[in-house]
Amino acid sequence: MNIEILKLLETDSKMTVTDIAKMLGLDEAAVAADIKAMEEGKIICGYHTMIDWDKVAEEKVTALIEVKVTPQRGQGFDRIAERIYNFEEVNAVYLMAGAFDFTVILQGTSLKEVSRFVSEKLSTMEQIISTSTHFVLKKYKDHGIIFDVVKQDERLVIAP
Amino acid sequence: MRNPLSKTVVNIKPSGIRKFFDIVSEMPNAISLGVGEPDFDTPWHIREEGIYSLEKGRTFYTSNSGLLELREEICKWYKRKYNVDYDYRKEALLTVGGSEGIDIALRAMLDPGDEVIVPEPCYVSYVACVELAGGVPVSIPLKNENEFRLTKEELLAAVTDKTKVLILAFPSNPTGAIMTRKDLEPIADICKEKDIIVISDEIYSELTYGEEEHCTIGSLPDMKERTIIINGFSKAYAMTGWRLGYALAPALIAEQMTKIHQFAIMCAPTTSQYAAISAIKDGDKDIARMRESYDKRRHFLLATFKEMGLPCFEPKGAFYMFPCIKEFGLTSDEFATRLLEEEELAVVPGTAFGDCGEGFIRISYAYSIDELKEAMERLNNFIKRFRNK
């Protein structure tokens, strides 16, 4: 495992093995082998693209749902989490410390679709005590990336 | 009408960078690797502190030497990082950038005819500041084969009865060279033996790569009393536009520097001083993050130069590479001019930093990897065309 490789890929998953090797002063073959091993070990779980869907005509709704549950004997929260995260429309599930148990992030095409999911699929599970649904109005920053800010190099072109 | 100008000022050579600046500014597609400042924004917590100080109406002068709290933090920081003790009440002074510190240190010490040893290639202001202060600059041409470090022999050969000051600037702009404690020890011995005061410009102190951390000559035995440390916030915290530097000097010298500062400047910018408190108290992680990023770019350029067969010693500091271009049979100026005309890539000729920079160019890596990649393609095209002729 090489943390430096992970740091680079985390900010730019398109970075080539050649560039990574150069930037870290490592051998290309070694970097390729490291990445392969980290993929197989599920340290690297996927390569995604940050998209600002607000700029795309297609309707998208993101909801953040706070869920309170009764943990199951012998299985704690994991079994319930599994029942939730297996739904395709569920984007993320986090176990939380604090006033509620799970944060569920959901992506749908309309408010209607999201509310139907909550009322029909989520709330009906017997371990779920309550849900509280919040809708995202605008994304400013996600995964460390600030949307909509184009940075110009404002430095003097040549300076001592 | 009489000639209104001072001979001293008129005789100062204008900076060799100006010409390139004018050409590049007219070329919309040019890529420049000619910038000597970080590409990062000032970390937000520092900017926020500056904004807060304005909201609070802290818009007045500070004391001449600068905010007491900031001076105290600076001295604590230097003690913690580089093991030198300066008294924040009498031996620390906030300046307008490191540049002012160099200027007033020289003016505080020089009488007409005093010689100042300036190892070159070096930052563009030293020679001019020495001349403005009435001193005589004595240059030492540093050598590529020594990785542009100053050696004992070179220093000894330059010392005369009139030598008063040595300007030591490591990590170096433009070469990226550093000097370790071991390299500094023989230099310190000569300074003590020959009674030379050192102005140690450590503005790039936080940007060193690899095993060796920066060492200040002021931390060597009996050197504090003859060392003036110049540093600042520009490079470490990406704060160039805030114009804030500082000088740490023995009380005897600091007092006279403060006098010049008091009459010429009054005090360093107040907003910048408040922001800098946040920088020095909470900025270690920012420095680490930026240093890591520079180091990756440094590796990237080193590997790319190797592929191109462009000879360059491994620089371990600042954010510059200083490759040798002698094989192309052009002067540094010609090389840089043609590179700009033919490939629209701007670099700074080594001669902008002293005559001994002939045969070298300075490449700054304060740029994103994507920009560096595009720039290296252009440089490679230029070099290949030349070699194929």
Side-chain angles (χ1 to χ4, degrees):
Chain A
M1 190 181 66
N2 185 323
I3 295 209
E4 294 307 317
I5 296 178
L6 291 176
K7 282 191 200 162
L8 285 174
L9 284 175
E10 192 178 28
T11 50
D12 182 2
S13 59
K14 275 172 79 183
M15 199 171 275
T16 65
V17 170
T18 312
D19 288 348
I20 293 172
K22 278 187 183 175
M23 287 166 79
L24 299 179
L26 296 171
D27 180 60
E28 245 181 77
V31 171
D34 253 344
I35 292 176
K36 189 155 182 275
M38 290 190 288
E39 287 169 350
E40 284 167 1
K42 285 284 171 207
I43 293 172
I44 296 174
C45 306
Y47 297 91
H48 291 94
T49 307
M50 286 297 303
I51 296 169
D52 186 355
W53 283 105
D54 289 351
K55 294 212 181 75
V56 184
E58 195 175 335
E59 188 78 17
K60 287 252 182 200
V61 178
T62 306
L64 195 147
I65 309 164
E66 298 170 4
V67 183
K68 280 189 192 166
V69 303
T70 323
Q72 277 176 301
R73 191 168 176 170
Q75 294 165 326
F77 290 100
D78 296 352
R79 174 80 187 101
I80 314 164
E82 189 186 346
R83 287 192 61 191
I84 299 171
Y85 67 60
N86 274 331
F87 286 107
E88 256 177 44
E89 48 272 67
V90 170
N91 226 307
V93 178
Y94 309 132
L95 179 62
M96 311 296 291
F100 56 95
D101 302 307
F102 290 121
T103 294
V104 176
I105 296 172
L106 201 70
Q107 204 142 60
T109 53
S110 66
L111 293 184
K112 216 166 157 188
E113 191 190 283
V114 172
S115 45
R116 194 182 308 132
F117 175 85
V118 175
S119 60
E120 290 176 11
K121 304 205 168 121
L122 212 52
S123 305
T124 52
M125 286 183 205
E126 67 263 39
Q127 301 88 346
I128 289 184
I129 301 167
S130 70
T131 64
S132 169
T133 305
H134 311 271
F135 288 99
V136 174
L137 297 181
K138 182 174 178 179
K139 285 186 187 173
Y140 294 98
K141 185 177 181 181
D142 210 348
H143 289 74
I145 306 286
I146 299 171
F147 290 161
D148 246 355
V149 178
V150 182
K151 279 291 288 176
Q152 295 277 359
D153 193 342
E154 289 179 18
R155 297 177 292 172
L156 296 174
V157 283
I158 294 194
Chain B
M1 183 181 142
R2 70 194 297 176
N3 180 357
L5 303 174
S6 138
K7 287 192 200 76
T8 315
V9 175
V10 170
N11 287 337
I12 288 173
K13 221 170 84 182
S15 166
I17 286 175
R18 189 75 226 172
K19 176 182 113 184
F20 287 90
F21 182 85
D22 292 339
I23 309 173
V24 186
S25 304
E26 303 281 300
M27 297 171 95
N29 296 322
I31 297 184
S32 170
L33 297 185
V35 172
E37 62 178 321
D39 56 321
F40 296 98
D41 291 332
T42 304
W44 182 248
H45 70 96
I46 301 171
R47 284 189 275 165
E48 238 254 320
E49 204 58 43
I51 295 166
Y52 182 66
S53 83
L54 290 174
E55 282 176 351
K56 280 286 198 183
R58 290 170 175 157
T59 54
F60 304 100
Y61 298 128
T62 67
S63 74
N64 295 137
S65 308
L67 294 170
L68 204 66
E69 184 187 358
L70 179 55
R71 279 185 279 150
E72 189 177 359
E73 289 298 332
I74 289 168
C75 290
K76 269 176 17 195
W77 187 85
Y78 243 93
K79 169 74 186 154
R80 168 166 66 87
K81 294 209 71 165
Y82 302 117
N83 200 29
V84 270
D85 267 307
Y86 283 91
D87 179 349
Y88 67 92
R89 287 178 224 89
K90 287 188 238 152
E91 299 182 317
L93 167 66
L94 270 306
T95 55
V96 179
S99 315
E100 189 213 337
I102 291 156
D103 180 36
I104 60 176
L106 287 164
R107 285 202 272 162
M109 292 189 290
L110 296 186
D111 285 314
D114 284 344
E115 289 181 359
V116 178
I117 296 181
V118 186
E120 289 182 330
C122 69
Y123 184 62
V124 296
S125 82
Y126 304 144
V127 168
C129 283
V130 170
E131 287 170 348
L132 283 170
V136 179
V138 175
S139 110
I140 297 180
L142 299 178
K143 297 197 184 81
N144 194 14
E145 59 261 37
N146 296 330
E147 300 192 339
F148 293 101
R149 288 170 297 186
L150 175 65
T151 66
K152 186 173 115 186
E153 293 73 22
E154 288 166 335
L155 178 57
L156 270 178
V159 173
T160 71
D161 293 346
K162 294 188 182 129
T163 305
K164 189 162 189 186
V165 175
L166 162 68
I167 299 183
L168 210 56
F170 293 92
S172 158
N173 172 11
T175 65
I178 61 167
M179 281 184 71
T180 63
R181 190 185 176 88
K182 240 178 123 183
D183 298 326
L184 291 170
E185 274 164 356
I187 303 299
D189 289 342
I190 295 170
C191 291
K192 283 179 275 187
E193 190 191 315
K194 304 284 183 187
D195 199 6
I196 299 169
I197 315 290
V198 180
I199 296 178
S200 182
D201 183 351
E202 305 180 4
I203 193 75
Y204 290 97
S205 64
E206 300 320 292
L207 302 179
T208 60
Y209 314 104
E211 306 282 287
E212 288 289 346
E213 289 218 336
H214 174 70
C215 172
T216 174
I217 195 164
S219 67
L220 270 48
D222 303 319
M223 278 306 290
K224 189 204 142 181
E225 62 190 61
R226 54 177 69 253
T227 302
I228 298 163
I229 292 174
I230 304 293
N231 207 326
F233 295 85
S234 295
K235 305 298 164 25
Y237 304 98
M239 289 178 71
T240 44
W242 299 75
R243 305 313 304 127
L244 192 65
Y246 54 88
L248 304 174
L252 179 79
I253 305 173
E255 194 186 339
Q256 300 307 316
M257 288 172 67
T258 308
K259 203 199 282 173
I260 306 172
H261 175 76
Q262 172 189 350
F263 290 131
I265 302 285
M266 185 67 128
C267 71
T270 302
T271 311
S272 307
Q273 292 191 50
Y274 279 106
I277 294 175
S278 182
I280 201 140
K281 274 185 167 170
D282 300 316
D284 282 4
K285 59 185 184 312
D286 302 310
I287 293 174
R289 170 176 57 86
M290 292 188 261
R291 184 203 289 127
E292 236 178 64
S293 178
Y294 290 130
D295 194 22
K296 287 179 179 132
R297 306 167 192 189
R298 186 182 71 101
H299 277 297
F300 180 82
L301 287 189
L302 275 172
T304 311
F305 284 176
K306 208 170 156 192
E307 281 174 0
M308 289 186 218
L310 190 64
C312 184
F313 85 100
E314 183 186 339
K316 298 217 171 109
F319 38 63
Y320 307 105
M321 315 281 276
F322 206 61
C324 176
I325 47 114
K326 286 180 182 160
E327 61 169 301
F328 303 102
L330 299 173
T331 66
S332 297
D333 201 280
E334 286 164 352
F335 186 94
T337 306
R338 288 187 56 176
L339 183 59
L340 185 54
E341 284 168 358
E342 294 172 29
E343 292 291 335
E344 299 197 286
L345 174 61
V347 299
V348 180
T351 42
F353 308 97
D355 293 341
C356 64
E358 187 58 86
F360 298 87
I361 53 171
R362 186 193 74 172
I363 286 182
S364 157
Y365 51 87
Y367 294 90
S368 73
I369 282 287
D370 287 340
E371 288 167 306
L372 291 176
K373 265 169 93 168
E374 170 66 30
M376 286 306 107
E377 267 173 44
R378 295 183 187 198
L379 180 60
N380 197 24
N381 290 341
F382 182 76
I383 286 176
K384 274 204 301 221
R385 251 202 328 274
F386 230 94
R387 286 188 178 139
N388 288 341
K389 266 183 204 162

